[in-house]
Amino acid sequence: LEEITPKPVQDTGNILKQGYLEKRSREHSFFGSEWQKRWCVLNRRTFYYYANEKSKQPKGTFSIEHCSARLAFHLRKDSRKRCCFELICPGKRTYEFTAPSPAEAEDWVDQIQFLLKDLSSLTIPYDEEDDEEPYNDVDSSDSANTASHNTTLNQDEPNIEMEEDDIYEVLPGKQPNKQ
């Protein structure tokens, strides 16, 4: 298991979600409250929780890899029970949280589940916006068409005739090397 280095809030890397949550303490002390308000920060692999958003040292951190997240209405009996969720980390412990609203709790769970799905996936996500014509370097029968296409893109440059097999750009004042 990798060791997670504690970091100030500002240095936790690519922050995907952050905000105040109430975290249930592991030790149920007679004097302290069971739920403590914590500034929580989620990045690609790690969940950090701090005393507040200006804290330099986290109160705790854990890797979310191999964990699971779900809404957990059974954690509280009061009016905020629909704001609860938990992170179950096998072999470690279950972290219990209360968000400011049911929608916020759902958003935390969704973000964590999205990251877990991403971490368990071995494929690179496919971005549909990059869906351009496939590159084809085999079919060169259309080279006259591509030559005219190049000149329409570079209308500022003088029209230079190229040999069909020449793949290098001819710079002004330079002669192509003949072999």
Side-chain angles (χ1 to χ4, degrees), residues 9-10 18 20 38-39 50-56:
V9 175
Q10 300 85 340
Q18 61 186 345
Y20 277 105
R38 296 285 179 242
W39 180 257
Y50 299 83
N52 60 52
E53 59 189 298
K54 292 176 178 41
S55 297
K56 297 287 183 214

Side-chain angles (χ1 to χ4, degrees), residues 6 22 46 67 78 88 95 100 110 115-116 118 121 141 161 178:
E22 287 181 29
T46 311
C67 294
D78 61 8
I88 302 127
Y95 296 87
D110 289 347
L115 284 175
L116 292 170
D118 195 38
S121 167
S141 63
E161 287 296 318
K178 298 286 181 195

Side-chain angles (χ1 to χ4, degrees), residues 111-128:
Q111 289 289 333
I112 294 163
Q113 285 176 341
F114 175 78
L115 284 175
L116 292 170
K117 187 177 173 190
D118 195 38
L119 286 172
S120 66
S121 167
L122 296 175
T123 58
I124 297 169
Y126 174 71
D127 190 357
E128 290 179 22

Side-chain angles (χ1 to χ4, degrees), residues 19-23 36-40 49-53 59 97:
Y20 277 105
L21 296 172
E22 287 181 29
K23 182 187 155 298
Q36 289 125 0
K37 191 174 182 181
R38 296 285 179 242
W39 180 257
C40 298
Y49 52 96
Y50 299 83
N52 60 52
E53 59 189 298
K59 289 271 188 193
F97 297 97

